[in-house]
Amino acid sequence: MHSKAKPGIIVTTKMMRNATPLKPRERLQRSAAEIARWKKEREAWMATLEPTLLFQRLFDHIPGVYFFAKNKAGHLMFASQGLMQRYRMPDDSEIIGRTDFDLNPDTMAQAYVDDDKRLLAGKAEVVERIELWWDSQGIPDWFLVTKLPLYDKRGRVQGVMGTLRRPDEAERSLPVFQTVAQAVEIIRRDFSKPLLIEEVARSCGQSLRQLQRRFQSAFGITPQEFLLKTRVLAAVRLLEETTLSASQIASQCGFVDASSFTQHFRKRTGESPAAYRRMRTTI
């Protein structure tokens, strides 16, 4: 059957007509010379392709998976459509050349850069971990991140590529998630209230020390810092999308008062709420 597409382009999808399991064909052993010939053929074929229209485009069609690639200096060279949408950027021209510090609060950006340094220095072949990021509502949540080094033809590392995705149900059943999942949901739900981490730990049937240790293992930060990051990121959205005063935003995001809000906001973004709003509204 045909699905809708741009004028002049026909996108065809087919129903599965035979669900009978099939065995792969038996393959003849190939010689080293034949394998070498095909590797040269592949290299020649790759040289004919347009670099900006390569395999990374597939990630635009995989729901919930985000792709990026950066050069050695940390500048973004590629990003999937989903990733650009998370940063509210309409197209590639908005994100190319940006760094993690251009896009994220300093503490989050520094964690990403530290990972990249390990890959660029050859100290790791792959980085896989649970990383603090934000969901479509702008609230921090966990994502599974995989990063790999990018090599040139001489085998030298020239950058980093990676994917981010939300963990599936099976992965969420793993102990590392289960030990902090309930705490995360409480913080995400109640961050605007006068929430105490000791109360969160009790609600989860854990001691404060247990929750802190397990949170640190999962996210690399304490539950207290997760709560503050959640509040700051919620405040960022209100600064960008509303004309509420600092006192009103402080109240809506769970800060004691405007002074406390300004202190925590500046510590995690490097600027005051007023300066942040002024820069974003004059660009």
Side-chain angles (χ1 to χ4, degrees):
M1 61 183 178
H2 298 296
S3 58
K4 293 181 180 180
K6 295 179 182 178
I9 299 178
I10 297 177
V11 179
T12 304
T13 58
K14 294 183 178 179
M15 300 293 290
M16 183 182 293
R17 299 189 179 187
N18 188 345
T20 304
L22 298 175
K23 292 175 60 178
R25 288 186 175 183
E26 293 186 8
R27 299 181 298 277
L28 297 175
Q29 190 71 27
R30 294 196 295 181
S31 67
E34 184 180 3
I35 294 171
R37 178 174 65 83
W38 277 112
K39 286 185 176 181
K40 287 184 179 180
E41 184 76 19
R42 179 174 62 186
E43 186 175 346
W45 174 66
M46 289 292 295
T48 68
L49 301 179
E50 166 56 46
T52 61
L53 299 176
L54 291 177
F55 311 114
Q56 69 272 3
R57 296 175 62 215
L58 284 171
F59 289 96
D60 294 339
H61 304 279
I62 305 177
V65 177
Y66 309 97
F67 171 82
F68 63 87
K70 295 180 277 188
N71 64 13
K72 285 183 70 173
H75 298 109
L76 277 160
M77 296 287 105
F78 291 102
S80 62
Q81 289 291 332
L83 191 61
M84 287 188 282
Q85 289 169 7
R86 286 298 173 100
Y87 287 110
R88 303 178 200 172
M89 293 181 172
D91 54 46
D92 184 69
S93 65
E94 286 291 322
I95 203 166
I96 189 171
R98 306 274 189 182
T99 70
D100 288 305
F101 288 99
D102 294 326
L103 301 172
N104 308 291
D106 286 355
T107 51
M108 294 172 69
Q110 189 60 56
Y112 307 158
V113 170
D114 288 344
D115 278 346
D116 295 349
K117 286 180 179 177
R118 291 171 56 206
L119 293 168
L120 293 169
K123 294 179 180 178
E125 294 183 355
V126 59
V127 170
E128 295 178 303
R129 68 182 179 93
I130 306 167
E131 190 168 276
L132 184 65
W133 206 44
W134 51 76
D135 62 17
S136 56
Q137 283 74 50
I139 303 301
D141 197 3
W142 48 40
F143 281 75
L144 296 178
V145 180
T146 300
K147 293 182 179 180
L148 297 169
L150 282 165
Y151 297 95
D152 63 17
K153 292 184 178 181
R154 297 183 181 180
R156 299 172 300 186
V157 179
Q158 295 295 340
V160 171
M161 62 179 172
T163 58
L164 301 96
R165 65 178 177 84
R166 294 286 297 274
D168 59 29
E169 289 186 16
E171 289 163 332
R172 285 181 180 272
S173 67
L174 295 173
V176 69
F177 284 102
Q178 288 300 303
T179 53
V180 294
Q182 189 178 357
V184 167
E185 292 308 312
I186 292 173
I187 292 173
R188 281 163 51 86
R189 183 190 67 217
D190 298 335
F191 70 89
S192 61
K193 301 176 182 178
L195 194 62
L196 296 176
I197 299 302
E198 291 86 347
E199 295 175 356
V200 174
R202 280 197 297 271
S203 298
C204 300
Q206 301 178 48
S207 69
L208 177 60
R209 180 172 295 183
Q210 283 177 321
L211 181 62
Q212 288 175 326
R213 185 173 64 251
R214 290 166 178 170
F215 224 95
Q216 188 78 36
S217 174
F219 285 112
I221 60 173
T222 65
Q224 290 90 339
E225 182 63 16
F226 184 90
L227 172 59
L228 288 168
K229 284 177 179 291
T230 301
R231 288 172 171 169
V232 166
L233 286 175
V236 163
R237 289 179 64 84
L238 292 177
L239 286 169
E240 293 177 347
E241 299 175 1
T242 74
T243 57
L244 293 174
S245 68
S247 295
Q248 290 172 316
I249 292 175
S251 177
Q252 289 196 22
C253 295
F255 293 100
V256 176
D257 52 34
S259 176
S260 174
F261 166 44
T262 298
Q263 175 188 350
H264 289 295
F265 192 93
R266 188 191 300 275
K267 180 178 179 180
R268 287 160 186 82
T269 67
E271 53 193 336
S272 69
Y276 182 92
R277 171 176 275 169
R278 188 164 54 248
M279 287 184 64
R280 271 62 183 180
T281 56
T282 56
I283 292 177

